[in-house]
Amino acid sequence: MDDAPSHLPDSLPALRAAAREAGFTRSCEERTGSLLAVLAAARPGGRILELGTGVGEGTGWLLSGMDSASRLVTVERDETVQKVAREQLGSDPRVTFVAGDGGAWLQAYDGELFDLVFADTWPGKFSHLGEALRLVAPGGTYLIDDLDPRPDWPEGHEASVERLLADLEEREEFRSVRMAWASGLLMAVRSARL
């Protein structure tokens, strides 16, 4: 079976061209993107949080799956990189761009919970994990990627990934599944049971 996405967001070619121009090489992998679109589509009127906008490829995938009542907040520390996403996707009223440190944002946020949290950067995954998980609504999904070893990982990072996976699987309020697919994913769903 070919698992390449059959439908790509209309915004993807322009985002990829801008990423190449900016020298940005860590954009959302296509299969991960297709999963993001499906998860967003599964939540009509959903509230979605993306930690790590980058140049906006993941943002584009999320927007492609969202209905008109859904809302996306996307947080990125590097304003220069996020500027690409703002230029390409900023006219969409469903998305709010936040430029700033994801960890500080997670600590300060006190609004509504999210139906989907995609942590694609250090804060919300390797730091501030508890703060990110606190924002997942009952029945909501927490998704992380980039868990498969890469040659450019810093020394000791593999141990950090293993600790993260073990931590997530020990949390009683979440059911999780590891996926040896795309760049290596883990999806966890907060129990809706009272």
Side-chain angles (χ1 to χ4, degrees):
M1 175 175 67
D2 180 5
D3 64 353
S6 56
H7 296 35
L8 302 177
D10 293 339
S11 60
L12 210 53
L15 289 167
R16 286 181 173 167
R20 280 190 301 276
E21 235 177 78
F24 189 81
T25 60
R26 298 295 300 209
S27 288
C28 184
E29 198 269 346
E30 273 190 5
R31 291 173 297 169
T32 301
S34 66
L35 178 61
L36 289 172
V38 167
L39 291 173
R43 296 293 187 161
R47 294 186 38 78
I48 300 169
L49 172 63
E50 177 185 36
L51 298 166
T53 312
V55 297
E57 286 191 39
T59 310
W61 280 103
L62 286 163
L63 289 168
S64 76
M66 292 166 48
D67 68 3
S68 62
S70 294
R71 297 293 175 259
L72 167 63
V73 175
T74 183
V75 182
E76 173 62 48
R77 174 180 51 113
D78 186 338
E79 288 185 57
T80 304
V81 171
Q82 192 186 61
K83 182 179 180 212
V84 173
R86 286 177 184 264
E87 289 171 355
Q88 298 295 324
L89 305 169
S91 64
D92 191 319
R94 300 173 298 165
V95 62
T96 300
F97 291 96
V98 176
D101 177 79
W105 187 89
L106 285 167
Q107 289 176 322
Y109 181 79
D110 66 352
E112 292 180 71
L113 300 179
F114 293 92
D115 300 301
L116 171 60
V117 173
F118 175 45
D120 191 22
T121 190
W122 205 267
K125 191 183 327 187
F126 295 107
S127 72
H128 303 87
L129 176 62
E131 289 89 343
L133 294 176
R134 171 183 61 83
L135 299 183
V136 179
T141 301
Y142 170 82
L143 180 71
I144 53 176
D145 65 348
D146 301 328
L147 300 173
D148 282 344
R150 294 178 44 102
D152 62 346
W153 275 9
E155 187 175 326
H157 188 62
E158 192 164 352
S160 296
V161 169
E162 287 304 318
R163 280 192 301 274
L164 170 66
L165 295 174
D167 183 353
L168 286 164
E169 290 175 346
E170 290 171 2
R171 291 180 181 260
E172 292 182 12
E173 70 274 27
F174 284 89
R175 293 292 305 262
S176 65
V177 60
R178 294 182 188 193
M179 295 178 273
W181 181 70
S183 63
L185 306 171
L186 181 134
M187 183 168 61
V189 175
R190 180 183 286 280
S191 174
R193 289 181 281 163
L194 299 175

